[in-house]
Amino acid sequence: MNSFELIAPCHFGLESVLKREIVNLGYNINNVEDGRVTFAGDEEAVCRSNIFLRTTERVLIKIGKFKAVTFDELFENVKKLPWEDYIPQDGRFWVTKATSVKSKLFSTSDIQSIVKKAIVDRMKSIYNKEWFEESGISYPIRVFLNKDEVTIALDTTGESLHKRGYRRMTSKAPITETLAAALIMLTPWRKDRILVDPFCGSGTFPIEAAMIAANIAPGINREFTSEEWNNIINKKWWYHAIDEANDIMETSIDVDIQGYDIDGDIVKAARRNAQDAGVEHMIHFQQRPVSGLSHPKPYGFIITNPPYGERLEEKENLRELYEVFGRQYKDLDKWSAFVITAYENAERDMGIKASKNRKIYNGMMKTYFYQFMGEKPPKRRKQENSQ
């Protein structure tokens, strides 16, 4: 079986969550960097990582790493890599994305062009051909430059892993599925605890929570580019991973997960999304303003992404919105709240000091993950065996 060094990118600030996921899948971590975790894996690991990891954007096979400060160095180093081990003669290949940070080579379009030319040059010499029709399977390539160090990799995923396949309808400012899952996993919430999202939008937080509770693998209902890479990954490993995902699923469990939104059309969309995700029976969605936030039971959780004033009409009402949110939260009995927002006055307007405040980048936007910790429930007494 082929062995690889795999790269899993993630949101900046959430590397620890992804690392824990990878370790729980049974793989050894090689390196953790800003927005990226590298680990060792085989063919089966590629399949299982794509299907089971909730918090990465994609899974990449690292082809090489080297330093380059000129385009000549970039060309020659790319050409040295064993591309014939990965791309067949009729393979369709291109550099789908290049990024450059603090590097002398910064023109991403030039980087993409030169990497492609270098691979073609290598293939010409190996396959003794002057022209490649590229009529076969797709092999997308990604290139990262950081402080003149180049990492080049094959993208096994294709469309980003945040696209689980269930979210057809979105709210105005949706949070991605991978980010939502990572934030839930940062909290102490477990499936036997109440969870409410009073600004649920298209339902991403409640749906991801339900999928976590039911052990539904996030990639079980979608396709991946590398499914067709029979020259690299034996098809049987995809079947094994899907069988594993089906075996561990528990959709009949009882949970208390709720999502509210003031917009009735968005609530309908959230219900449809939950239905497509197979968890509609696990979530109670309701059209309700944040002023109606309440629950009779103690020790629950709020995990939410309230508006933060990206549009002018929102900015005018932000203070009042957060004041109402804070007032309703204070009336809940021993609850914890976890709030991701770019609104810097969230604590002030809610009238509560957060226990923790974690900075997380949502794309290029700096956001704050405020953690308001409530009391822990008393530990349940273990049932003594009467026999």
Side-chain angles (χ1 to χ4, degrees), residues 189-227:
W189 178 80
R190 296 295 179 267
K191 61 187 176 184
D192 60 341
R193 305 285 292 278
I194 304 157
L195 189 149
V196 175
D197 181 355
F199 302 97
C200 74
S202 54
T204 310
F205 272 127
I207 292 170
E208 288 295 319
M211 290 177 71
I212 290 169
N215 256 345
I216 297 174
I220 195 169
N221 290 322
R222 54 158 290 167
E223 296 177 344
F224 308 96
T225 298
S226 54
E227 284 182 69

Side-chain angles (χ1 to χ4, degrees), residues 274-328:
Q275 187 174 15
D276 287 346
V279 294
E280 74 279 4
H281 61 292
M282 299 173 64
I283 307 169
H284 174 67
F285 286 110
Q286 186 178 358
Q287 182 180 0
R288 185 191 292 194
V290 68
S291 58
L293 172 62
S294 63
H295 200 289
K297 294 182 180 178
Y299 304 113
F301 281 74
I302 293 169
I303 305 178
T304 193
N305 174 217
Y308 34 79
E310 287 186 285
R311 290 172 293 279
L312 186 61
E313 64 270 22
E314 282 182 352
K315 281 186 178 173
E316 296 172 358
N317 302 316
L318 272 188
R319 182 165 188 166
E320 182 184 357
L321 181 76
Y322 279 82
E323 285 175 351
V324 173
F325 179 29
R327 189 162 59 245
Q328 296 304 117

